[in-house]
Every structure is written in structure tokens, then in C-alpha cells.
Amino acid sequence: MKELQNNIKGIVLALKNKGKMRLAGEINKNWQKTSLSYSKELNNWKPARPIEKELLSAFSKELERLEIKDPRKTDVLNSIKKRRVLQTGPHLGMSESPRMLCINWLGSLGVNMKDFYIVAMFSGIPFSNKSRPGRINKKKDSINLFPANMQDAMVYRSIIPEKLIESFDKLSKKIKKILPCPKLGGSYTKWALLGCQNIESKILNKKNLIFIDINEVVTNYLLEVLKNKKHIFYKIFFDTKTQKEFIKAFPNEIMFYSSGKQGKYDTMESYTLVEGKLINKNKEILLEDKKILTQELESGRLCPALITGFLTLAFLNQFKCFGSFAQVEYLPIYQKKLSGLGFMKEYSVGKIPTANLTTGVFPAQIDLYPIDIILGEKFSPDSSLKFGELLVPMKETLLGSYFVGSIRKYAQHDFAKSNEKK
């Protein structure tokens, strides 16, 4: 215990020296708790406002897309409505990293089996993201599912190519048995989400894990609330006074991502909000008529970015969003900025818990991927492990994590890092 305490003290001090005060504070406050007790504490949340009917409907549509039928769908929606807790750390891909497996183990420990642990995966990334969302990842190697010209394509609304079918056919029986059968031209995100859900439900021996694409949920939600001229999002996009106040607080903030093209290669672009329009380097979307924005959303050409998603979930609907080391730093900044906006006063933004740290790796198995476990690697984590024990093996990752104190810089940096080829 003394050695662990000293290691944590060193990490906390180094983080403070780097200006990562919130991350340092969360680690210092929670490191000595067991994984089980910390998870129970994280999952303890009672929202003060009811969930918007439009958002509950948006979750319902995503569950339908994933073919989750009644009575299970109703049970999941009731759990979402009551608990208002999401794991928003993982990027959307077919198989997760050792850290993301640990995050889901930790986050789900304190969830009653009658409720559901919802993994809200983020698809607004390119396949070249460092999380390798277009690969089946293992300890020793990975299996690429997408051709070279799609490596920088956006995961959101992507479809299954021939290469994925070919790669799937060559997989071992143990892997193929647990994955859905892919169909050429079908939804990649649906296939990947169901694959992740199957894999981690088996590994963690839990039937209450639900994996969804949170970008799909937010798109569904926006399409509904933009019908209401009194809604916050309608005012941000179409009311001059509200829009100016928002832009002043969030200048050049990325609101949406979109797919692009560079020669024969698919790319990913970002849209920012300026007076009366959304712009990127190649295109402008005029906000003179909501039908234009609605058409862009319906077509899948626009994918909600960070601020759009967290404004929906955390700040308008009081979801407690679990996240990793970067989110613990930037989400409270969103909170502070939104708290100062006149049109957000009624939402009690300052009362939402925004520093909900879930990160770590299993100390004895720091490089163990979910697929390795499916192929036979032993896996039996102990819920009495201290939270700090999950953090010490990833010390260098914690210290090297970027944070520059500005949402604009953070969002741009994250987008640039996402586009690095791995």
C-alpha cells in the first residue's frame, strides 16, 4: 500500500506540474478505493430534470437500428431514463484496446444486473485514428478490415467493404463464432457495435452491456428538436442573439464532422459555426432555413462533434458521462463556459458531475486485448483491486496525455491526432 501511495503521489505531482489539475485531483481523491466501491460511487447519480422525450426517442431509434427488440428494448430505455449514466470514453470500432476493456470492466462493476451499462461509442473519427477502429486488434498483430483508400474515411455511417468480407472469411472459428455475419454494403457501425457487445458480454460474463453509436443518437435527437423554435439547439442555429452569445463563448468550435474526398481517397472534415452558417474549408451550409440543416443531418453528411453531443447529453439532459483522462479535463471547461450563457441558466449546468474518471489497465495484463481472451488467454480481474493499481501501469500515458486549456485548441488537436496514420 505504501509503494502504491508513493507511486500515485509521484503521478499526481507530475500532472500538477503539467497543469492537469482536474486529472490530478480525481486520481488523488479516488486512487485508494477498490474498483468495486469506486464503480458503485460512479454509478450513483440522481438527475434532477426529466429526460427530454426527443432524446429518449432518439435512443429508441438507435436500439431499433441495432435490432434490440421488446421487451429488452423497453427495459433498456427505462434504465436509460432512470439512471442517466453513460460510458462515453470508447471510440467506435470492432474490437477494443486493453485500456477500453479495463474501462468497461471498471464502469460496469457497480451496475445492478437489473439495469444496463450503456457504452456510448463515438463514431466521429477516421479509420486512421490511433484506436484502430477498422481493425480486429490483438496483442501480437491486427487484421485490417478496410482498403487503403478508406483509411481516412469517417467511421460514422460507413458501410462494409469487400475487404472486410474477405478478412472475415479468413478468421479463426473462435472469432467468427462470436461475431455477427457481415453483409457487403451493410452498416459497419451496426456490425462493429454488435461484435463489441458480444465479445465483452462474454468476457465480463454480463448480459446487461449495451453498445450504441452516440453520434447516431444525437443526430436522431437533433432532427426532432429542430422542429421546435423554442429549443436551445434551434436558437443556437437560427436565432441571431443566441447564436452570437454561443459563438462568443465557443469561437471556431467544431460542431460537426463530415466526409470528404481527396482524389481517390476518402477524408474527414470539420464544420464550425459562424454567423448564419456552418463552414469548412470546402463548403458552406447556410442556416437561412432549417430544412437545409435537416437534410444534411438526414443524409448522414453531418456527424455531431463533441460540443454538440455533450450539450445534448450532459447539459440539457443531465447524463453523467464517464470518460478517460482527456475528458476529465475538457468537459468541466465546457461546463464553465455554458454556465455563463444566459440561455442556459434554467438548466443548472454547474450541478452536473463532469469529472467522472474511468481509465486504467489490468496491472498483470497490460497488453491483453479482448480478442486475445476470446482466443484462450486467461482473464480473471479482481474487483478488490485499488483504482490506483489500474493507473500506475499507464503512468507514461497519463503524463503524456495532451491538454492545452482551450476547448478550441483541444478539439482541433484531437481532430488532427485522429487523422494521423498508424
Side-chain angles (χ1 to χ4, degrees):
M1 187 69 169
K2 188 68 175 177
E3 182 181 359
L4 176 60
Q5 184 177 18
N6 289 336
N7 284 331
I8 293 294
K9 280 184 177 180
I11 291 173
V12 169
L13 179 60
L15 288 171
K16 286 181 177 178
N17 289 338
K18 288 176 173 286
K20 299 167 187 175
M21 305 305 290
R22 295 179 184 86
L23 178 57
E26 289 303 304
I27 290 174
N28 193 49
K29 182 171 66 175
N30 297 302
W31 70 268
Q32 77 284 8
K33 298 171 184 175
T34 67
S35 297
L36 178 58
S37 64
Y38 181 50
S39 183
K40 286 182 177 179
E41 186 178 311
L42 283 167
N43 281 284
N44 183 24
W45 169 238
K46 293 183 179 180
R49 295 177 63 92
I51 189 172
E52 291 177 277
K53 66 181 186 300
E54 294 90 349
L55 183 55
L56 198 61
S57 174
F59 276 108
S60 179
K61 288 178 181 177
E62 174 63 354
L63 295 177
E64 289 170 7
R65 184 178 79 94
L66 299 173
E67 298 184 34
I68 298 174
K69 299 178 171 32
D70 280 328
R72 184 172 176 83
K73 186 186 83 168
T74 297
D75 291 340
V76 173
L77 290 173
N78 287 337
S79 182
I80 289 172
K81 181 179 178 181
K82 178 186 71 174
R83 276 180 22 88
R84 225 82 61 83
V85 175
L86 294 173
Q87 172 57 261
T88 53
H91 289 156
L92 198 158
M94 211 304 297
S95 64
E96 297 200 277
S97 68
R99 182 162 60 86
M100 290 304 164
L101 173 62
C102 184
I103 283 174
N104 286 333
W105 171 80
L106 174 66
S108 65
L109 275 177
V111 180
N112 188 301
M113 288 304 293
K114 293 181 180 179
D115 288 313
F116 289 86
Y117 175 75
I118 311 295
V119 184
M121 302 188 94
F122 190 82
S123 61
I125 54 170
F127 285 106
S128 55
N129 182 274
K130 61 184 177 181
S131 63
R132 300 187 294 184
R135 294 171 179 263
I136 296 177
N137 301 304
K138 298 182 290 181
K139 187 189 303 184
K140 293 183 179 180
D141 57 16
S142 66
I143 301 166
N144 191 8
L145 303 174
F146 285 81
N149 67 326
M150 291 184 68
Q151 290 305 304
D152 288 322
M154 186 164 56
V155 175
Y156 179 74
R157 298 281 174 100
S158 56
I159 62 172
I160 293 173
E162 286 187 15
K163 183 173 176 58
L164 190 152
I165 304 295
E166 294 168 0
S167 298
F168 179 84
D169 289 341
K170 297 175 184 177
L171 294 175
S172 70
K173 289 183 179 179
K174 283 187 177 180
I175 300 177
K176 289 172 73 173
K177 185 179 179 180
I178 203 166
L179 299 180
C181 185
K183 295 181 180 179
L184 184 65
S187 168
Y188 172 71
T189 60
K190 177 181 175 180
W191 181 77
L193 287 165
L194 294 176
C196 268
Q197 185 173 296
N198 290 351
I199 291 167
E200 295 194 30
S201 294
K202 181 177 178 64
I203 290 171
L204 301 179
N205 192 28
K206 292 186 175 182
K207 297 180 180 180
N208 63 341
L209 304 185
I210 300 290
F211 286 67
I212 61 171
D213 182 346
I214 199 59
N215 303 79
E216 289 282 358
V217 173
V218 176
T219 295
N220 293 337
Y221 167 79
L222 289 174
L223 286 169
E224 289 301 314
V225 299
L226 289 178
K227 298 174 184 177
N228 179 5
K229 292 184 178 181
K230 294 181 179 180
H231 196 274
I232 292 295
F233 270 111
Y234 186 96
K235 291 180 178 180
I236 287 173
F237 291 120
F238 304 110
D239 177 73
T240 302
K241 181 181 177 182
T242 304
Q243 189 178 101
K244 285 182 177 179
E245 188 180 358
F246 181 85
I247 292 172
K248 185 176 180 181
F250 295 94
N252 299 303
E253 181 71 27
I254 296 172
M255 301 295 290
F256 296 100
Y257 297 118
S258 66
S259 294
K261 206 82 173 175
Q262 190 170 346
K264 65 177 182 179
Y265 295 97
D266 293 323
T267 60
M268 186 172 157
E269 300 170 349
S270 59
Y271 277 95
T272 56
L273 178 64
V274 299
E275 189 173 340
K277 55 191 174 183
L278 292 163
I279 63 169
N280 69 18
K281 61 182 180 179
N282 297 314
K283 185 179 177 181
E284 293 184 355
I285 298 174
L286 296 178
L287 299 174
E288 297 172 343
D289 186 339
K290 74 170 187 179
K291 289 182 180 179
I292 298 173
L293 180 56
T294 297
Q295 288 169 356
E296 293 291 320
L297 288 166
E298 286 178 336
S299 68
R301 288 190 290 269
L302 290 182
C303 170
L306 289 176
I307 184 61
T308 317
F310 282 118
L311 178 54
T312 297
L313 299 165
F315 303 117
L316 295 182
N317 286 278
Q318 296 194 343
F319 273 84
K320 189 176 189 181
C321 296
F322 298 171
S324 198
F325 43 78
Q327 186 175 306
V328 165
E329 291 285 0
Y330 71 75
L331 197 54
I333 294 180
Y334 278 145
Q335 183 177 42
K336 184 177 180 180
K337 290 189 174 188
L338 289 167
S339 295
L341 299 179
F343 62 84
M344 289 296 295
K345 292 297 183 185
E346 67 177 281
Y347 292 94
S348 303
V349 171
K351 296 181 180 179
I352 308 302
T354 52
N356 311 301
L357 180 62
T358 52
T359 195
V361 290
F362 298 109
Q365 297 173 298
I366 62 174
D367 59 351
L368 186 63
Y369 285 81
I371 290 295
D372 294 321
I373 300 169
I374 295 298
L375 291 174
E377 291 267 4
K378 291 183 179 180
F379 177 74
S380 55
D382 185 351
S383 62
S384 67
L385 278 169
K386 303 293 185 187
F387 180 45
E389 293 181 81
L390 305 178
L391 300 175
V392 170
M394 56 176 293
K395 175 182 176 180
E396 296 307 316
T397 301
L398 291 169
L399 298 184
S401 65
Y402 56 85
F403 177 69
V404 290
S406 161
I407 289 298
R408 176 188 173 189
K409 290 179 181 177
Y410 173 80
Q412 289 177 338
H413 184 93
D414 184 55
F415 183 71
K417 291 292 283 185
S418 293
N419 279 282
E420 288 181 0
K421 290 189 175 181
K422 297 297 175 180

